[in-house]
Amino acid sequence: MRDAPQGWPRISASVYYREASSMIDWLCEAYGFDVRLKVEGDNGTIVHSELTYGEGVVIVGQESIGPAARWGVQRKSPLSAGCNTQGLMVYVDDVDAHCSRARAAGARIVDEPALHDYGDDYWADRSYGAIDPEGHLWWFTQRIRDPKQ
C-alpha cells in the first residue's frame, strides 16, 4: 500500500454544521484544532476546510440539504438531523486540562474524565466525552498505559 499524500493521514473524517464558519472558530478555541485551510463561499458559507490536531485532519463542511445537496446526498448537522450519527476520538496530551478548556468554551461534557483500564494485556486510557454546540459527539483520550509487548 502506498503512503498517503504528504500531510494527510490514511483516513480522515468530515463533520457538517449549519454554521460551519463559526463552528470552525469554536473547534479551535474549545478543542485546540488549527485551521490548515478555510475556503469561504457566498454569504460566508464554507466551501471546504481542513482542521488539524497533530497529524490528524478533520474536514468541516457546510450543511447541505434539499436541492443544494451535492450528489443527491444530504449532509446535515445533528441540529437538523435530530440525532448524532457519529463520534470522533482524538488523542490529547493532558485530558484533564483539555476537558477544562472545552468546558470553559461551552462544550457539554457528557462523560467526565475517567480511567478506562482493560487489564494488563490491553491498554488504559483516561477519556472524556463532549458534545459541541451543534450536537456532534467528541471523545478525547490520553493513553495512560500501553499493553505488554
Side-chain angles (χ1 to χ4, degrees), residues 76-134:
K76 295 182 178 183
S77 161
L79 289 177
S80 297
C83 64
N84 182 39
T85 61
Q86 66 184 9
L88 296 155
M89 189 189 82
V90 180
Y91 275 100
V92 298
D93 293 332
D94 182 338
V95 80
D96 294 289
H98 194 277
C99 183
S100 293
R101 174 183 180 161
R103 188 186 318 270
R108 183 166 51 104
I109 307 304
V110 294
D111 194 22
E112 293 291 334
L115 182 66
H116 303 277
D117 190 335
Y118 298 98
D120 289 342
D121 291 335
Y122 300 99
W123 60 91
D125 287 340
R126 185 163 172 78
S127 305
Y128 79 95
I131 304 288
D132 70 29
E134 288 206 21

Side-chain angles (χ1 to χ4, degrees), residues 41-90:
D42 296 334
N43 302 320
T45 60
I46 298 300
V47 175
H48 181 78
S49 76
E50 299 167 8
L51 304 185
T52 60
Y53 194 97
E55 70 282 354
V57 177
V58 175
I59 298 166
V60 174
Q62 193 72 42
E63 181 177 75
S64 178
I65 300 174
R70 197 170 178 191
W71 311 294
V73 176
Q74 296 191 55
R75 295 166 297 194
K76 295 182 178 183
S77 161
L79 289 177
S80 297
C83 64
N84 182 39
T85 61
Q86 66 184 9
L88 296 155
M89 189 189 82
V90 180

Side-chain angles (χ1 to χ4, degrees), residues 26-38:
W26 189 89
L27 292 167
C28 292
E29 177 189 345
Y31 294 161
F33 283 94
D34 292 312
V35 175
R36 179 166 82 178
L37 177 66
K38 183 176 175 182

